[in-house]
């Protein structure tokens, strides 16, 4: 199984919420788009791993995820500028508006989403660590073997 899609999956699940982000409007847009994408991701998983939806609770966000995501949004705006943060949110919205029908569709793409700066910020903000206690992320990771057909297409 390829690890990059799982890392992208974690990022997609974890990044969507923030309470103290530089711009509540950017945050709200990002969260709405991420929740849409998470729903499409689970629909895709159900096509190649029937029954997975019964094992994974609805995507939800907790305080550690909120804080990590706020850190990401604020840090990205601080490092790259407000315009870049806006463009990042547009990339997420565009991704969420598209179809998730293949494993490649799971990966958020774009100049900002793929930037080394964002990857460094995500790591520095503790996004992966924050996701560790998320019930949805835990359930996906506990059932990762069930998802193997999704990643071997």
């Amino acid at each position: 199984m390829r690890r990059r899609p799982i890392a992208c999956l974690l990022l997609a699940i974890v990044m969507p919420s923030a309470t103290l982000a530089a711009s509540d409007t950017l945050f709200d847009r990002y969260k709405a788009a991420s929740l849409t994408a998470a729903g499409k991701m689970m629909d895709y998983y159900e096509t190649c791993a029937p029954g997975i939806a019964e094992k994974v609770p609805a995507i939800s966000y907790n305080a550690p995820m909120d804080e990590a995501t706020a850190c990401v949004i604020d840090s990205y705006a601080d490092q790259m500028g407000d315009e870049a943060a806006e463009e990042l949110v547009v990339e997420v919205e565009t991704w969420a508006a598209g179809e998730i029908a293949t494993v490649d569709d799971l990966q958020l793409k774009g100049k900002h989403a793929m930037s080394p700066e964002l990857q460094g910020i995500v790591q520095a903000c503790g996004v992966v660590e924050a996701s560790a206690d998320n019930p949805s992320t835990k359930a996906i990771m506990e059932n990762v073997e069930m998802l193997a057909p999704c990643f071997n297409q």
Side-chain angles (χ1 to χ4, degrees), residues 92-151:
V92 174
E93 290 170 331
T94 301
W95 173 58
E99 184 179 25
I100 295 180
T102 70
V103 69
D104 290 333
D105 297 336
L106 291 171
Q107 186 169 344
L108 176 59
K109 298 172 181 98
K111 176 175 85 172
H112 298 283
M114 302 296 288
S115 73
E117 293 85 4
L118 181 63
Q119 301 311 309
I121 289 168
V122 165
Q123 184 175 2
C125 288
V127 170
V128 173
E129 295 83 356
S131 72
D133 289 327
N134 179 276
S136 303
T137 304
K138 278 184 172 181
I140 288 169
M141 297 313 291
E142 288 168 2
N143 293 284
V144 74
E145 293 303 317
M146 192 175 180
L147 296 172
C150 300
F151 294 96

